[in-house]
Amino acid sequence: MWEVMGIVNVTPDSFSDGGRWLDPAAAIAHGRQLAEEGAALVDVGGESTRPGAEPVPEDLERARTIPVVAGLSAAGITVSIDTTKLRVAEAALAAGAGYVNDVTAFRADPELAGLVADRRVPCCLMHMRGEPHTMQDAPRYGDVVDDVKAFLLERVEFAVSEGIREDRIRLDPGIGFGKTAEHNLTVLQRLPELVALGFPVLVGVSRKSFIGRLTGREDPAQRLPGTLAANVLALAAGASTFRVHDVREHVEALTVAAATLRGHA
Ligand code: HH2
């Protein structure tokens, strides 16, 4: 089975929708819309992780995200909190969030793993080389897929040692996080190797710059066709969760792709 995770960035500087949903009411309305379009969960983030982004103080990140998490949770929507900070995740879970998406895989705040274990929620562990501030400075790997796999397995070991049940763990290769366009394509081509680790795999390709590089589309909002192509192929490769800005289009495309892969409706 597959699911779509809709993105709501409550930030002034996210690379494709920065500033659009800073008003909590607008962010909640947008998240509700994504759920209506078929998102199984909505990922709420208050700190941009785009290359070169500056860290956001904890209080500000909380102030941006918690009203939105509370509003969407109250509407019965499963909310994922996209944060690397223990206190933000704690407040989000108290406000009704049911999933933790940490792009540092508990490296920024190792205590976050204990919180996830204690609250018995699913979590996504993502690979990133370096930090957003520096991650695109000439990323180099031995073998990018082997390095991503080894990193993720080490983080799974840590998560399990902190008490997180294996069936609550999802893995994400971190497309665009300390990776060149070539690295991203290699990782996507060899996605079955990640799927073979035995955990549901989440992919976040939506509107990212390697798609712009391939298509010549500088405006991220124009990268939907490229994003759909990458996600449909990721589905065929065994990915389970698709983190996207454009939910309706993905639900339709993935529904048809999944039925085609099965050979029946
Ligand atoms: N990508 C972004 C943010 N969070 N989380 C996971 N698990 N996987 C991803 O690939 C991922 C993520 C970056 O995209 P976006 O949220 O659109 O932009 P920004 O970080 O500038 O807010």
Side-chain angles (χ1 to χ4, degrees):
M1 270 311 288
W2 55 272
E3 65 188 5
V4 167
M5 172 190 268
I7 302 170
V8 177
N9 285 317
V10 197
T11 58
D13 57 343
S14 285
F15 78 96
S16 97
D17 57 354
R20 278 192 76 184
W21 321 114
L22 258 181
D23 167 39
I28 292 167
H30 184 55
R32 291 182 73 133
Q33 169 78 25
L34 298 183
E36 268 163 39
E37 292 179 6
L41 62 167
V42 172
D43 193 39
V44 175
E47 176 177 56
S48 172
T49 49
R50 82 189 144 72
E54 293 293 338
V56 171
E58 186 181 293
D59 287 353
L60 178 57
E61 192 179 331
R62 255 204 316 240
R64 285 178 182 170
T65 53
I66 301 311
V68 181
V69 171
L72 292 174
S73 302
I77 295 166
T78 303
V79 175
S80 156
I81 180 72
D82 186 349
T83 190
T84 66
K85 299 187 184 76
L86 175 70
R87 301 281 171 229
V88 175
E90 213 163 41
L93 293 171
Y99 188 113
V100 173
N101 175 25
D102 177 5
V103 297
T104 73
F106 305 137
R107 286 179 301 155
D109 215 333
E111 285 178 49
L112 185 45
L115 176 74
V116 167
D118 185 55
R119 302 298 150 86
R120 304 188 173 132
V121 292
C123 61
C124 179
L125 307 181
M126 196 195 81
H127 174 268
M128 167 169 35
R129 188 189 147 282
E131 321 158 43
H133 202 52
T134 53
M135 66 187 178
Q136 291 306 106
D137 300 346
R140 272 206 202 95
Y141 294 89
D143 176 294
V144 63
V145 178
D146 288 349
D147 288 9
V148 167
K149 278 195 296 195
F151 171 89
L152 290 175
L153 284 175
E154 185 271 316
R155 297 320 293 163
V156 166
E157 208 171 296
F158 173 73
V160 170
S161 76
E162 291 293 304
I164 299 177
R165 255 174 40 186
E166 286 200 6
D167 65 347
R168 297 205 173 105
I169 297 175
R170 287 92 179 93
L171 301 183
D172 179 347
I175 298 298
F177 286 88
K179 297 177 186 72
T180 63
E182 287 298 311
H183 291 141
N184 292 327
L185 292 169
T186 302
V187 167
L188 289 169
Q189 185 205 23
R190 291 172 56 193
L191 206 59
E193 292 181 43
L194 282 184
V195 173
L197 297 178
F199 296 87
V201 169
L202 181 153
V203 283
V205 299
S206 192
R207 302 181 180 178
K208 285 188 176 166
S209 66
F210 78 102
I211 294 173
R213 281 271 292 275
L214 289 166
T215 57
R217 295 292 189 183
E218 292 208 353
D219 176 4
Q222 302 272 308
R223 296 176 184 162
L224 174 61
T227 302
L228 285 166
N231 276 324
V232 163
L233 289 170
L235 176 79
S240 302
T241 306
F242 302 86
R243 182 180 180 278
V244 300
H245 300 86
D246 305 285
V247 169
R248 183 180 57 76
E249 292 85 346
H250 277 87
V251 169
E252 290 185 16
L254 293 167
T255 298
V256 174
T260 307
L261 289 167
R262 282 194 306 273
H264 62 85

